[in-house]
Amino acid sequence: MQRKSMTAKSFWIILVAGMTTGMGNGSVFGAAMMCFLGRGKFNDWGGWYGVAYDPTTFTGFIDWCMLVFGLAYCFIIWVGLNRHDASENSAAA
């Protein structure tokens, strides 16, 4: 019987935990950057629907920070679980 890897067993945990943690940190980063820089060249606050994800708007910049940080945290959790799984399998062998 083939044993499933930790990353295969915890796909949804990686996705939910990584996106939740990363998007929270991305929103704080975006807000802190906006407080530091001011509105700058962001003449438009963003808006609804697709305009809210336009990185040239105030809200769009923060939304893109949240998405990038969320994906980065998913990748970090995935790498950590792969390394943990490899060390656990080498200790068992």
Side-chain angles (χ1 to χ4, degrees):
M1 184 170 143
Q2 186 79 14
R3 189 181 82 74
K4 288 177 87 174
S5 68
M6 280 186 177
T7 53
K9 288 190 285 188
S10 58
F11 172 77
W12 290 108
I13 293 173
I14 292 171
L15 194 65
V16 171
M19 289 304 281
T20 304
T21 305
M23 288 181 82
N25 288 335
S27 68
V28 171
F29 172 78
M33 190 165 188
M34 288 299 151
C35 288
F36 179 69
L37 295 176
R39 294 247 346 219
K41 295 183 180 181
F42 295 103
N43 297 325
D44 192 6
W45 71 275
W48 307 103
Y49 307 115
V51 184
Y53 294 98
D54 180 7
T56 61
T57 63
F58 185 77
T59 305
F61 176 77
I62 294 174
D63 288 345
W64 274 101
C65 286
M66 290 180 1
L67 291 172
V68 168
F69 274 62
L71 293 173
Y73 272 71
C74 287
F75 180 72
I76 290 168
I77 293 172
W78 180 77
V79 168
L81 280 176
N82 272 339
R83 289 185 179 181
H84 179 72
D85 197 30
S87 68
E88 199 171 275
N89 286 338
S90 66

